[in-house]
Amino acid sequence: MQQEVVLAMLAKEPSQGYQLRARLDEALGPLGESINAGQIYVTLGRLEKAGLVVREGAPTDRSDRSDRKVYELTPAGQARVTEWLSEVNWPKPDLAEFHLKLVAAAAAGLADPISIIDLQRRELLRLLRDVQREAMNEQEASDSGLLLEGIVLRLQADLRFLEACERAWTDRRRHL
Amino acid sequence: MNAPMNQSDGELERAPVREPYRAGEEPLVRARRLSKRYGKGDGLVRAVDEVDLEVAAGEAVAVMGPSGCGKSTLLHLLGGLDRPSDGELWLGDRRIDQLSERKLAEMRRHDVGFVFQAFHLMDELTAQENVELPALLAGRSPRQARRRARALLEEVGLADRARHLPCALSGGQRQRVAIARALANEPRLVLADEPTGNLDSTATLEVLRLFERLHARGLTLVIVTHDERIAATADRLVSMRDGAFVDEMPLVGGTRGRLADLVGLGG
Amino acid sequence: MGRARLVCRLAAKDLRHHRAEAALLLLAIVAATATLTVGLALHGVTSNPYAATRADTKGPDVVAVEMARPGGPSQLTALEHARGVTGYSGPYLLAFPTSLEADGHSDPVMAEGRATAAAPVDQPKLVSGRWVGHGGVVVERSLADLLGLKVGESVRLGNDGTYGTPAGPGSMRRFEVVGIAVTAALQPSSVATYMHPTGFPEPGLVWVTRSAAAELARVDGGPFAYTLNLKLADAAAAPAFVTAHETNVVSLTSWQSMSARAGYIVSVEREILLTASWLLGLLALASVALLVGGRMEQRTRRVGLLKAVGATPKLVTSVLLGEQLALALAAAALGLVIGWLASPLFTNPGASLVGAPGSPALDVSTIAIVIAAAVAIALVATFVPAIRAARRSTVRALADAPRQPRRGRLSIAVSSRLPVPLLLGMRIASRRRRRALLSATSIAITVGALVAVLMFREQTHFVETAGGLYRFGGPGDPLWERAATVMLVFTVALVALALVNAIFVTWATVQDARHAMALDRALGSSPEQVTLAVVAAQLLSALPGAFAGVPMGIALYIVAGRHTPSAPSPLSLVAVVLLTLVAVAALTAIPARIGARQSVAEVLRAETA
Ligand SMILES: Nc1ncnc2c1ncn2[C@@H]1O[C@H](COP(=O)(O)OP(=O)(O)OP(=O)(O)O)[C@@H](O)[C@H]1O
Ligand SMILES: [Mg+2]
């Protein structure tokens, strides 16, 4: 879980931990299940140490239960959020690794590239199937639905890449 | 599996809901060394070449492969629209590759529903009349046919479009009408040939949802497709090349825990 | 040069690709042009046979007859030099009634004694053989046709006792038929009436030598007559001449009244011929309209296709034109030959009419008209789609499936209550109303003609001739039989054309409903059901056609026959209607079955391509 995400979630208003959690759940839908509550508090703790958030409320508050604590951005935290929003970064698919795996397998004669491709394809198709199931359960036009749609499209692109690999490697084998 | 089961119509609910597919069950479709050849000599085309296939009741099978590899031909054979040159074919416990034209027609009428890429609706009939047609051909009374058609159109979400002609419907809507028509006689097997080949992604999703629901209800499906999304809804994926099966992969079995990785939410 | 080759190649390819259709269109145009040829030939025959014969035989302006005793006419010779007469032939002895016996049959004839030399007035024109000589007889053509006499056959002339006077031994003499001829000189009604009070309206005529005529007149014991043929300075004044010179001994006939009488005799056949050729023409037109109409739709799409791959409209039009012209000209040539070969079949009875000038020949104008008609068909079949496709954008021309079928709301609703073949049939029929209408018309014409023929055969008619009210009808009456033969020939042609039409329509329907039929089968109708459906679709349009044909036929009979008939027997009407429907069903079953047997997978595959 990226610190910036938690930080940005606080930008709207000071919130308690469970409120943050609910906001994430709404945005992520079924994918939110993979985030456990502890993770959020660990992250908040780190942010507090870094001086990006402060805990609000009187120290006289006897109950020290973390989920009742209200967190708030410090000015430094605000600055970090602004900076993060303006950053241009996009998750890069790591296709080079897979590609090199095929080349190496073929060169060394250790494995059949086609079967590697098939294995990968099967895996991606299963993923696609699951994501699709989830996507179809979502309400139309929900935030999390959009995310799932994104995954589906990504997987489709990967599958097409695998198809291209398969064609290329089949041709190559034929010409040998 | 938490697929939606929000059936909307009474009549459909009364229809027997079949058990979802379980491996090792008695197959509904069974093909042994099924072949279809065109031409002879130098012009010989092995459109389908000694294919073995078993589809269990309630199973959804997707067939993928490059253009011209024989997918449509295979589907036509399975549905009795075409006769194999060789091989054996069973539907349930009945061998159908040797049936007379009339028996084949009866089989198509009662046991098989077709969905085509080009929709193949009758232009001069409204959505409702198109869906009624198979029921009328099967000898149902006009009233029964009408009731059934209404229920099916409701099911595919087109109740308000029942009186429109196909030319007044969008591609996705037309395909949903075609699917409703394929279901008119409660077939045991639905064969779909690139059902989303002519549709954009939104329309594809409409059709996809529909297939998912049918599958969840226990309908046996064989879908030929170029679209991985459609293929991914199946229980099993068959890859074809030059008329033969080159790969079969089961798609059932969860990978759920790893979904988070895909969006960078992992640990 | 290269362009011309390209045009030819494209045209040839297209024709080869749509072979069955091209063949059908060819057939339809052949039928139409053949009909046209026959019609034109007939028109030449029946339009003015008398005038033609009159010109060919130096026909008399006035014929004078005197009843006389042996020894010669008393008053006739005076006419030879009457005012206004510029030429004459005769007087010739007329022996009647003389029996002519051939093949054991005996018929009453008049035998005219003639010189062996050619006469300046009324020299009968030989159709075959030679002119009279010793022991030879020349037979008037209608009589020869009637009795089936040919040159070289032998007959017996004389008195066989049929006409009151007892026959003595040797009163029949053997003659050889040496020639067959036509004449424009008709004997005055007094003679004709005397001979046949109720029978054949014109007595048969033969020519023999003078001496033979005298001998025949002697043995038959009947009255003598002499006949004199006159040529006047002013042919138009013939009726006045007749009035001026008629006495109770000499009766005269002007050529005008002879022409009118000849007209009466031909009128029956003429009416049949004309009516029938109109009906045939209509039917042929219907089939051409059907086929060209269907083809034009397809053409429109093809024009779009060619345009899409970059052909200029001019090239596209030349390809189409080349194709259609080739078809039309081939069809016209075939049609001309068939029509020419077939026309004697129709015109032989016509040519044997009194005064008919001979078999029709194909003249230049007939050929020109037939070719022009075929070319016109080709032009329409080319330019309508060319213009239509040019007007539409390429995309639309391409996208346009052949004419959108109609949606018959009522028939869809009604048909859903019917058994499957009728359900499908009704829907197929309601898709193309124009076509259904055309096929109904075709059936109506056929049934109408059949009903008219039936009534003709069933009823006795009275035809008013110069000789009085003539009872026309029933087998045995030669004129009636002749008319019946003409009708039969035409009816056969008509029925053949109608049946071809039925096949066209079915074929067009099968082509057009290919997709729907394949789909119906994919949805589970059996080939038998689909075949029955197509047949039912044809019957659905044939049924009203057949029913409409009955009153049409009665009306046709009344109009063409110019008199009010008694009602035809209902039994035969029912039989005609039923037989027609059965024939339609049987014929359409063949193309329907072929259509219903096509592989569903292939049709559906082709539809997506
Ligand atoms: N009537 C025919 N005669 C000859 N060959 C044919 C005929 N019909 C189909 N084929 C051939 O059979 C092969 C399989 O055709 P089929 O339509 O089943 O392919 P497909 O996998 O469905 O292709 P696509 O994905 O493009 O629809 C093709 O090579 C095709 O050319
Ligand atoms: Mg295909």
Side-chain angles (χ1 to χ4, degrees):
Chain A
M1 171 66 54
Q2 266 194 302
Q3 296 185 355
E4 281 83 356
V5 176
V6 178
L7 211 53
M9 285 286 166
L10 275 175
K12 188 185 169 203
E13 58 191 8
S15 316
Q16 298 178 352
Y18 75 93
Q19 287 174 314
L20 278 183
R21 158 97 213 212
R23 244 175 256 166
L24 275 171
D25 270 355
E26 193 189 328
L28 294 176
L31 293 168
E33 288 167 25
S34 63
I35 300 168
N36 62 42
Q39 241 179 314
I40 294 178
Y41 293 108
V42 172
T43 310
L44 280 171
R46 282 196 200 127
L47 290 170
E48 196 176 4
K49 260 184 212 140
L52 297 172
V53 301
V54 290
R55 244 187 298 176
E56 249 185 21
T60 54
D61 198 327
R62 282 183 301 139
S63 69
D64 198 23
R65 285 186 31 215
S66 45
D67 61 342
R68 287 292 170 82
K69 292 171 195 159
V70 176
Y71 293 88
E72 189 181 4
L73 289 184
T74 63
Q78 286 281 2
R80 178 74 197 108
V81 169
T82 317
E83 191 189 345
W84 180 64
L85 288 177
S86 62
E87 268 170 25
V88 182
N89 62 348
W90 192 253
K92 295 164 199 65
D94 193 5
L95 296 179
E97 186 198 328
F98 182 72
H99 176 66
L100 292 174
K101 190 192 272 181
L102 295 181
V103 173
L110 286 173
D112 180 11
I114 305 285
S115 58
I116 295 178
I117 293 168
D118 271 349
L119 215 62
Q120 191 67 42
R121 201 150 77 103
R122 201 170 298 202
E123 193 54 30
L124 288 186
L125 277 166
R126 287 205 181 119
L127 273 175
L128 183 60
R129 176 184 161 91
D130 289 347
V131 178
Q132 198 136 266
R133 285 262 151 88
E134 299 297 351
M136 278 184 294
N137 284 339
E138 287 304 307
Q139 298 291 333
E140 232 158 290
S142 70
D143 288 351
S144 51
L146 193 57
L147 179 58
L148 289 167
E149 175 80 10
I151 303 175
V152 166
L153 292 172
R154 249 338 239 278
L155 284 171
Q156 261 184 299
D158 289 341
L159 280 165
R160 301 232 165 112
F161 171 62
L162 287 182
E163 228 169 85
C165 288
E166 179 172 7
R167 251 198 317 275
W169 283 100
T170 316
D171 280 354
R172 210 166 297 183
R173 186 157 56 180
R174 210 172 278 164
H175 290 146
L176 282 181
Chain B
M1 198 190 315
N2 51 350
M5 295 287 281
N6 48 345
Q7 288 162 357
S8 43
D9 189 80
E11 184 167 344
L12 285 176
E13 259 163 5
R14 259 181 276 122
V17 175
R18 294 185 187 94
E19 284 291 299
Y21 158 65
R22 260 180 263 111
E25 224 172 288
E26 179 67 14
L28 177 62
V29 179
R30 198 145 49 92
R32 287 268 166 279
R33 306 175 75 79
L34 198 64
S35 299
K36 178 73 183 178
R37 293 180 292 269
Y38 293 108
K40 50 170 86 94
D42 277 351
L44 180 75
V45 178
R46 295 175 191 278
V48 171
D49 195 10
E50 307 209 328
V51 159
D52 291 328
L53 174 69
E54 284 190 2
V55 182
E59 191 184 12
V61 173
V63 181
M64 289 185 86
S67 184
C69 70
K71 307 181 294 289
S72 301
T73 310
L74 175 67
L75 215 59
H76 291 153
L77 292 179
L78 294 184
L81 283 184
D82 221 344
R83 250 173 230 286
S85 320
D86 246 323
E88 299 166 11
L89 183 62
W90 279 270
L91 185 71
D93 45 14
R94 187 169 184 207
R95 186 161 170 188
I96 61 169
D97 52 289
Q98 305 286 349
L99 286 187
S100 70
E101 269 301 317
R102 185 184 320 184
K103 287 270 160 53
L104 274 181
E106 259 164 42
M107 181 200 87
R108 288 196 295 262
R109 199 181 304 161
H110 297 294
D111 296 332
V112 183
F114 279 99
V115 178
F116 301 97
Q117 173 175 2
F119 317 137
H120 286 317
L121 296 174
M122 299 259 186
D123 293 334
E124 71 272 23
L125 300 184
T126 60
Q128 162 102 26
E129 287 159 350
N130 263 296
V131 180
E132 280 173 19
L133 186 58
L136 291 175
L137 292 181
R140 308 257 183 113
S141 77
R143 261 190 55 210
Q144 278 176 316
R146 199 157 46 233
R147 266 224 314 276
R148 174 91 185 135
R150 286 233 182 87
L152 283 167
L153 282 174
E154 182 117 1
E155 158 100 11
V156 300
L158 288 174
D160 53 336
R161 294 309 191 108
R163 312 187 69 128
H164 287 59
L165 289 176
C167 61
L169 298 175
S170 76
Q173 290 168 336
R174 281 183 220 187
Q175 196 59 297
R176 282 187 282 157
V177 173
I179 293 172
R181 181 181 64 184
L183 299 174
N185 287 333
E186 295 174 25
R188 292 199 277 172
L189 173 67
V190 169
L191 302 170
D193 193 353
E194 311 213 10
T196 58
N198 283 342
L199 303 180
D200 70 0
S201 72
T202 330
T204 298
L205 215 59
E206 291 170 3
V207 172
L208 208 60
R209 284 215 167 90
L210 200 50
F211 274 126
E212 266 294 311
R213 267 161 53 197
L214 296 177
H215 179 34
R217 273 230 312 278
L219 200 68
T220 313
L221 280 165
V222 178
I223 308 178
V224 163
T225 185
H226 278 303
D227 188 336
E228 299 84 1
R229 298 181 75 167
I230 302 281
T233 59
D235 300 314
R236 187 152 53 107
L237 173 65
V238 175
S239 299
M240 257 186 112
R241 208 135 311 160
D242 298 330
F245 286 178
V246 291
D247 187 33
E248 274 195 55
M249 57 176 91
L251 298 177
V252 276
T255 43
R256 183 76 149 292
R258 302 191 39 225
L259 276 190
D261 294 345
L262 288 170
V263 276
L265 290 172
Chain C
M1 187 60 224
R3 254 180 64 97
R5 279 233 328 255
L6 177 67
V7 167
C8 290
R9 272 233 322 265
L10 282 173
K13 261 216 180 101
D14 189 40
L15 282 180
R16 218 170 314 142
H17 194 67
H18 300 111
R19 214 175 290 171
E21 218 189 82
L24 280 182
L25 183 64
L26 190 84
L27 210 64
I29 302 182
V30 165
T33 47
T35 312
L36 192 62
T37 310
V38 172
L40 287 172
L42 287 185
H43 188 71
V45 170
T46 49
S47 60
N48 203 346
Y50 188 80
T53 313
R54 199 167 117 78
D56 271 7
T57 59
K58 304 180 200 149
D61 293 332
V62 173
V63 174
V65 171
E66 182 186 337
M67 298 293 196
R69 290 273 118 206
S74 55
Q75 294 177 18
L76 211 53
T77 39
L79 288 174
E80 289 168 10
H81 305 292
R83 265 231 338 255
V85 174
T86 55
Y88 69 92
S89 66
Y92 300 124
L93 178 63
L94 209 54
F96 73 93
T98 293
S99 298
L100 185 149
E101 195 186 283
D103 287 338
H105 262 291
S106 170
D107 288 277
V109 297
M110 300 188 283
E112 191 175 301
R114 283 291 194 138
T116 46
V121 180
D122 183 34
Q123 175 53 47
K125 190 186 173 204
L126 283 162
V127 178
S128 60
R130 55 187 162 79
W131 189 231
V132 293
H134 181 69
V137 58
V138 172
V139 185
E140 194 273 323
R141 183 169 56 183
S142 61
L143 183 67
D145 278 352
L146 200 62
L147 302 179
L149 288 177
K150 300 246 159 31
V151 172
E153 289 183 84
S154 84
V155 297
R156 298 207 306 159
L157 288 171
N159 179 9
D160 60 1
T162 323
Y163 305 104
T165 317
S171 58
M172 290 296 279
R173 274 187 55 198
R174 182 167 299 281
F175 284 83
E176 186 196 346
V177 178
V178 293
I180 291 166
V182 291
T183 178
L186 297 183
Q187 299 314 313
S189 50
S190 55
V191 179
T193 315
Y194 180 87
M195 266 192 68
H196 299 291
T198 56
F200 192 42
E202 285 301 316
L205 185 61
V206 300
W207 295 276
V208 290
T209 56
R210 282 177 186 279
S211 54
E215 174 65 15
L216 287 172
R218 195 183 56 74
V219 297
D220 73 19
F224 274 50
Y226 285 93
T227 172
L228 179 69
N229 304 305
L230 300 172
K231 201 88 195 165
L232 302 184
D234 178 12
F241 185 90
V242 168
T243 336
H245 294 88
E246 195 137 46
T247 67
N248 46 12
V249 181
V250 177
S251 58
L252 296 96
T253 317
S254 66
W255 69 268
Q256 285 92 339
S257 84
M258 289 188 269
S259 169
R261 259 173 62 210
Y264 262 125
I265 298 168
V266 284
S267 74
V268 177
E269 286 177 42
R270 186 191 155 108
E271 231 115 62
I272 298 169
L273 293 180
L274 284 184
T275 315
S277 65
W278 268 108
L279 292 179
L280 273 179
L282 276 179
L283 268 188
L285 210 69
S287 49
V288 169
L290 269 172
L291 275 171
V292 171
R295 215 171 142 77
M296 276 195 304
E297 293 302 327
Q298 252 186 13
R299 298 298 76 178
T300 310
R301 206 178 128 86
R302 187 169 160 79
V303 171
L305 244 155
L306 283 169
K307 268 172 74 184
V309 298
T312 59
K314 225 171 91 188
L315 178 84
V316 172
T317 313
S318 6
V319 169
L320 277 185
L321 188 64
E323 225 180 288
Q324 304 287 4
L325 269 185
L327 264 184
L329 289 180
L334 252 161
L336 273 170
V337 170
I338 292 174
W340 179 61
L341 288 178
S343 58
L345 219 59
F346 299 97
T347 53
N348 252 351
S352 71
L353 300 172
V354 176
S359 209
L362 269 192
D363 53 7
V364 180
S365 68
T366 305
I367 295 175
I369 291 175
V370 169
I371 289 181
V375 169
I377 293 173
L379 289 182
V380 170
T382 304
F383 285 106
V384 171
I387 291 169
R388 205 186 284 166
R391 267 212 321 251
R392 281 180 209 174
S393 72
T394 305
V395 176
R396 260 203 63 204
L398 262 182
D400 255 11
R403 198 147 41 92
Q404 275 288 310
R406 263 170 227 263
R407 172 181 158 72
R409 190 185 290 273
L410 189 70
S411 67
I412 289 170
V414 170
S415 63
S416 57
R417 292 166 198 288
L418 301 175
V420 172
L422 273 176
L423 178 151
L424 298 177
M426 204 159 157
R427 292 179 179 191
I428 290 173
S430 69
R431 283 161 67 94
R432 297 278 185 250
R433 280 187 215 158
R434 241 184 304 169
R435 186 179 300 149
L437 199 70
L438 267 174
S439 68
T441 311
S442 152
I443 297 294
I445 290 174
T446 317
V447 169
L450 286 176
V451 166
V453 169
L454 208 73
M455 289 175 71
F456 175 82
R457 296 194 74 93
E458 266 183 4
Q459 301 192 4
T460 305
H461 319 268
F462 291 93
V463 178
E464 207 179 321
T465 67
L469 205 60
Y470 161 60
R471 187 176 164 282
F472 176 68
D477 175 343
L479 192 59
W480 184 91
E481 278 186 344
R482 218 154 64 189
T485 312
V486 177
M487 275 192 183
L488 189 71
V489 172
F490 266 106
T491 310
V492 168
L494 209 61
V495 167
L497 208 54
L499 295 184
V500 169
N501 257 4
I503 294 179
F504 284 170
V505 173
T506 315
W507 186 248
T509 307
V510 164
Q511 287 300 311
D512 183 73
R514 247 163 78 93
H515 182 230
M517 281 160 62
L519 213 51
D520 287 328
R521 283 179 55 205
L523 298 180
S525 3
S526 62
E528 288 81 12
Q529 285 174 326
V530 175
T531 308
L532 281 177
V534 175
V535 172
Q538 303 315 310
L539 283 181
L540 278 175
S541 55
L543 204 67
F547 282 124
V550 172
M552 260 176 64
I554 296 174
L556 180 75
Y557 184 72
I558 292 172
V559 171
R562 280 196 243 103
H563 62 109
T564 322
S566 48
S569 83
L571 200 69
S572 49
L573 288 186
V574 169
V576 165
V577 169
L578 273 183
L579 275 178
T580 310
L581 293 180
V582 167
V584 167
L587 273 173
T588 55
I590 302 158
R593 197 174 158 75
I594 294 172
R597 289 257 150 199
Q598 284 175 321
S599 151
V600 180
E602 246 154 68
V603 174
L604 292 182
R605 188 194 301 273
E607 286 296 321
T608 29

